[in-house]
Amino acid sequence: MKIFNTLTGQKEGFRPLGDEVRMYVCGVTPYSECHIGHAMSYIIFDVARRYLEFRGHKVRYIQNFTDIDDKIIDRAATAGVPPQELAERQIAQYFSCMDALNIRRADAYPRATEEIPKIIEVIQGLIDKGHAYRTEDGSVYFRVKSDPDYGKLSHQDLDALQSGARVEVDAEKEHPLDFALWKAAKPGEPAWDSPWSKGRPGWHIECSAMSLKYLGEQIDIHGGGQDLIFPHHENEIAQSESFTGKEPFVRYWMHNGLLRLGEVKMSKSLGVLVTVHEVLERYTSDAVRLFILSSHYRSPLSFSDEGLEAAERGLERLQQAAGGGRNEDAGGKPPTIDVDAVRQAFIGAMDDDFNTAQAIGTLFDLAREINRARSEGVDVKPAQALLRDLAGVLGLTLAEREISLDAQPFIDLLVQVRTELRKEKQWKLADQVRSGLEELDIILEDTPKGTVWRKGRKQD
Ligand SMILES: [Zn+2]
């Protein structure tokens, strides 16, 4: 399989360093509700992980929480709560969002405030090797000039980066692009003891330290949004490679495209629909995943009601093919769908830098074949199992909406009555039953094996 590596700018054959794939994805700063941009990024890396496992790899997946930073301190002060309380609350909220989106949990979620000893060890190591220096106030900065290939991830040299970033000259720093590894605390801020001052870690050093502690000196995949390439990931490389003396710190740098909100024609309702919570009130998590995965992960994605509604309709087709006709026995004729060929087509798409859009195309082709075969009385069970299996690699549950257990026998009864009415050519009454059920979002389908019903997807 091939993965596009931001560092080299090309697709490269994937071979993990050891017997398990070591994967690190930058986590959130828990100061506000998770929004749909988070959903996009974490769904993409969730699928990368699921697919690697599907291909037989063992994956160790680590994601951090930046549970102390300026935004948390500001928000907590506004809300009148301690910063840690705010972070704790938002972390709980983060997990509930990600669980609802069927994003599998990481193997560990290290938090900045709980990894201070490791962070101090790495900073001290960088100072000892001449890669970092302490300033008068007790802060510590990374010395970008000490790293000859600084800028290699964003493919720019120091001068270009400096003019691009428009960094302010700071008398304390040797070079404008030098960045804080340790920030001396201002009065009233949360602070930890260190050899340099009471203070807290900078953002970038956290990921280097955690990656080192939880995954080792060199890892296979590091992921994040394209907005993290510079300065965050550039700085992670500088810190990690300067500290360990080993290159590369990361074999494959994966970056997802960014979400576009607001710039395209967007319905009024969607204009305010930004948080995951709000999106999930109106759309199923399967539909959100299908919508996001229908574009290539490196492309920007424009969020729209139309796109999500189309995803709901597409999902319905997949669900129907995978599970529809559950009241019906398998057809008598032997299976005709070449499941191996479908599986290979899916793998071919995903092996090409996780081309989920094309992979989803193979699922729809399969769904069409299932429907055709079923109408011809062919056994579609193996094909349905494959469809559910491959959908699962994309994290799609294909779960049908919950039907109240109490309602089920009554629906069955009405379906039976309608069948009897049809036998007696009471078409008008039979149609009345069908349309009545349809209004209640119960869809009937007449098949050669009899009438089956399913719950529709009407939003109510
Ligand atoms: Zn990071």
Side-chain angles (χ1 to χ4, degrees):
M1 70 179 287
K2 288 189 167 176
I3 298 181
F4 183 89
N5 184 0
T6 307
L7 185 65
T8 58
Q10 49 198 356
K11 288 182 193 171
E12 295 175 1
F14 179 72
R15 269 186 325 279
L17 278 163
D19 49 11
E20 65 177 3
V21 176
R22 284 170 287 182
M23 185 166 177
Y24 186 98
V25 177
C26 291
V28 295
T29 301
Y31 69 97
S32 64
E33 255 196 82
C34 43
H35 55 71
I36 202 67
H38 295 133
M40 176 183 175
S41 190
Y42 296 123
I43 284 171
I44 285 165
F45 292 109
D46 179 58
V47 168
R49 174 203 205 175
R50 286 172 188 262
Y51 184 67
L52 287 164
E53 290 182 350
F54 173 76
R55 294 289 269 137
H57 296 287
K58 206 166 166 291
V59 179
R60 183 161 166 76
Y61 185 106
I62 304 295
Q63 192 179 312
N64 64 307
F65 282 117
T66 303
D67 64 345
I68 187 71
D69 95 326
D70 291 338
K71 288 189 285 287
I72 294 177
I73 293 171
D74 290 350
R75 289 288 173 99
T78 310
V81 295
Q84 281 321 100
E85 196 181 310
L86 174 75
E88 205 62 51
R89 198 192 299 159
Q90 294 305 333
I91 286 172
Q93 198 266 342
Y94 171 86
F95 279 128
S96 83
C97 281
M98 296 297 126
D99 290 350
L101 289 166
N102 197 28
I103 291 169
R104 280 175 50 204
R105 294 211 177 183
D107 293 300
Y109 288 95
R111 301 180 185 191
T113 60
E114 292 171 359
E115 304 293 341
I116 302 288
K118 186 69 190 177
I119 291 170
I120 288 177
E121 179 197 322
V122 177
I123 296 175
Q124 189 60 55
L126 289 169
I127 293 175
D128 294 344
K129 290 180 176 178
H131 291 292
Y133 57 94
R134 180 187 185 280
T135 55
E136 214 154 282
D137 70 344
S139 296
V140 179
Y141 286 89
F142 186 88
R143 181 178 279 130
V144 290
K145 286 234 162 182
S146 75
D147 179 12
D149 52 14
Y150 186 82
K152 65 182 169 185
L153 184 68
S154 36
H155 308 291
Q156 297 193 75
D157 62 14
L158 275 182
D159 292 337
L161 286 170
Q162 192 179 335
S163 59
R166 288 200 199 92
V167 280
E168 281 173 37
V169 178
D170 181 337
E172 293 267 274
K173 297 199 279 186
E174 293 176 4
H175 187 280
L177 285 176
D178 287 354
F179 54 91
L181 302 174
W182 188 262
K183 295 178 174 177
K186 296 185 195 98
E189 285 183 350
W192 287 261
D193 286 326
S194 81
W196 319 290
S197 64
K198 267 188 166 308
R200 59 190 158 88
W203 171 35
H204 315 301
I205 193 66
E206 179 191 323
C207 287
S208 284
M210 291 177 186
S211 181
L212 194 62
K213 177 171 167 182
Y214 288 87
L215 295 171
E217 294 183 327
Q218 290 178 292
I219 70 171
D220 297 295
I221 296 174
H222 191 124
Q226 284 166 356
D227 53 338
L228 295 184
I229 294 174
F230 184 84
H232 185 53
H233 288 162
E234 196 72 72
N235 291 350
E236 280 190 39
I237 295 179
Q239 294 162 156
S240 296
E241 293 183 353
S242 298
F243 178 76
T244 64
K246 288 187 182 162
E247 286 184 35
F249 158 46
V250 172
R251 301 274 301 279
Y252 307 88
W253 280 98
M254 281 180 69
H255 291 100
N256 64 275
L258 301 178
L259 190 77
R260 287 179 181 161
L261 264 182
E263 66 162 38
V264 282
K265 52 170 182 160
M266 197 170 286
S267 72
K268 207 175 168 194
S269 58
L270 199 72
V272 292
L273 187 155
V274 185
T275 68
V276 170
H277 182 75
E278 284 166 327
V279 174
L280 288 179
E281 269 182 2
R282 302 189 44 207
Y283 300 101
T284 60
S285 74
D286 267 4
V288 175
R289 292 186 77 110
L290 192 66
F291 171 65
I292 286 170
L293 298 171
S294 294
S295 298
H296 195 276
Y297 78 89
R298 283 188 281 119
S299 309
L301 179 70
S302 296
F303 227 60
S304 71
D305 267 326
E306 292 77 12
L308 279 158
E309 276 156 18
E312 290 283 13
R313 289 192 297 274
L315 197 62
E316 208 174 314
R317 295 208 300 277
L318 295 179
Q319 281 168 341
Q320 205 181 336
R326 64 199 159 146
N327 301 343
E328 158 196 34
D329 293 330
K333 298 185 197 164
T336 51
I337 299 171
D338 186 350
V339 288
D340 287 336
V342 175
R343 177 182 280 266
Q344 280 315 312
F346 180 88
I347 289 174
M350 292 293 283
D351 265 4
D352 181 17
D353 191 30
F354 306 102
N355 191 336
T356 50
Q358 201 180 317
I360 287 169
T362 67
L363 299 190
F364 281 113
D365 290 344
L366 178 58
R368 254 192 308 279
E369 285 193 60
I370 288 172
N371 289 336
R372 187 182 313 132
R374 190 158 49 189
S375 70
E376 290 164 1
V378 168
D379 177 11
V380 292
K381 285 217 161 70
Q384 286 181 315
L386 178 70
L387 179 56
R388 281 192 294 268
D389 192 22
L390 298 182
V393 175
L394 303 178
L396 302 174
T397 62
L398 300 189
E400 297 184 40
R401 291 190 170 217
E402 293 271 305
I403 303 265
S404 154
L405 278 178
D406 301 339
Q408 204 156 329
F410 296 102
I411 299 171
D412 286 340
L413 184 64
L414 281 165
V415 170
Q416 273 174 33
V417 169
R418 175 173 170 273
T419 305
E420 293 304 317
L421 289 170
R422 278 158 57 95
K423 274 185 196 158
E424 290 171 25
K425 303 200 191 314
Q426 303 252 23
W427 306 114
K428 209 175 157 196
L429 271 177
D431 283 347
Q432 199 178 329
V433 172
R434 171 197 276 272
S435 58
L437 283 169
E438 235 166 50
E439 265 170 47
L440 297 167
D441 211 17
I442 303 297
I443 312 299
L444 302 190
E445 191 186 343
D446 297 316
T447 76
K449 287 273 170 180
T451 302
V452 294
W453 62 265
R454 64 190 162 81
K455 186 96 166 80
R457 307 203 62 80
K458 199 187 285 178
Q459 303 282 333
D460 47 13

